[in-house]
């Protein structure tokens, strides 16, 4: 693992308990500190409080959805510079465009690819550190 991603804090906003557990386990094993939110509102609150290096944002959330939450984060000067990567189960044409329009750096498709997930996250962290726009995961 590269130096830029070691011990970075990742905020996961995900309402599905199994997905949250899997993503958390994979990232913690890779050395990240994980902060969890199960709603968009809680995610915004924790983004402000924790200043994570990256936010993984489920698109389908109760009440406010993940793309609306991303727009809020991007419009706020306190959180607008934190890269947001969408977690989407609806990997279809147009998803990446919608995620980018909302301000996401890209997306990672669900179901979570156990063997690749941490390296995908590391890639987004490196892109953010380098100031480059993100790319999707190529699935
Ligand atoms: Mn969901």
């Amino acid at each position: 693992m590269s130096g830029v991603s070691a011990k970075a804090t990742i905020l996961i906003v995900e309402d599905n308990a199994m997905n949250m557990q899997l993503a958390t386990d994979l990232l913690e094993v890779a050395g990240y500190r994980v902060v969890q939110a199960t709603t968009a509102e809680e995610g915004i609150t924790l983004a402000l409080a924790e200043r994570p290096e990256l936010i993984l944002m489920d698109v389908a959330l109760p009440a406010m959805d993940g793309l609306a939450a991303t727009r809020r984060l991007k419009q706020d000067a306190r959180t607008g510079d934190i890269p947001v990567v969408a977690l989407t189960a609806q990997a279809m044409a147009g998803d990446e465009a919608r995620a980018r329009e909302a301000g996401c750096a890209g997306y990672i498709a669900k179901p979570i690819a156990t063997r690749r997930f941490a390296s995908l996250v590391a890639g987004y962290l490196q892109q953010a550190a380098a100031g480059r726009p993100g790319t999707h995961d190529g699935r």
Side-chain angles (χ1 to χ4, degrees):
M1 188 165 57
S2 77
V4 297
S5 56
K7 294 183 179 166
T9 295
I10 312 289
L11 169 60
I12 305 176
V13 187
E14 168 64 77
D15 64 325
N16 178 282
M18 286 178 56
N19 285 333
M20 177 67 93
Q21 189 66 55
L22 177 57
T24 297
D25 288 348
L26 292 169
L27 294 180
E28 287 184 346
V29 163
Y32 298 104
R33 173 173 173 259
V34 174
V35 177
Q36 300 180 334
T38 56
T39 67
E41 292 81 356
E42 186 185 7
I44 290 168
T45 298
L46 285 173
L48 286 164
E50 298 283 342
R51 302 284 310 161
E53 275 72 30
L54 186 82
I55 300 171
L56 297 173
M57 180 72 76
D58 181 23
V59 171
L61 291 167
M64 190 193 314
D65 70 47
L67 297 186
T70 299
R71 288 187 200 96
R72 286 242 203 134
L73 290 166
K74 290 297 161 183
Q75 286 164 4
D76 189 324
R78 297 168 294 176
T79 52
D81 61 335
I82 304 171
V84 179
V85 175
L87 293 176
T88 177
Q90 314 109 21
M92 60 180 72
D95 272 7
E96 185 183 9
R98 279 193 293 278
R100 287 186 186 283
E101 282 164 11
C104 292
Y107 75 88
I108 294 175
K110 292 190 284 191
I112 290 167
T114 305
R115 299 172 72 139
R116 303 172 56 214
F117 187 68
S119 63
L120 291 171
V121 168
Y124 279 110
L125 280 166
Q126 288 165 357
Q127 286 165 358
R132 295 194 304 267
T135 58
H136 70 82
D137 72 359
R139 285 161 65 114

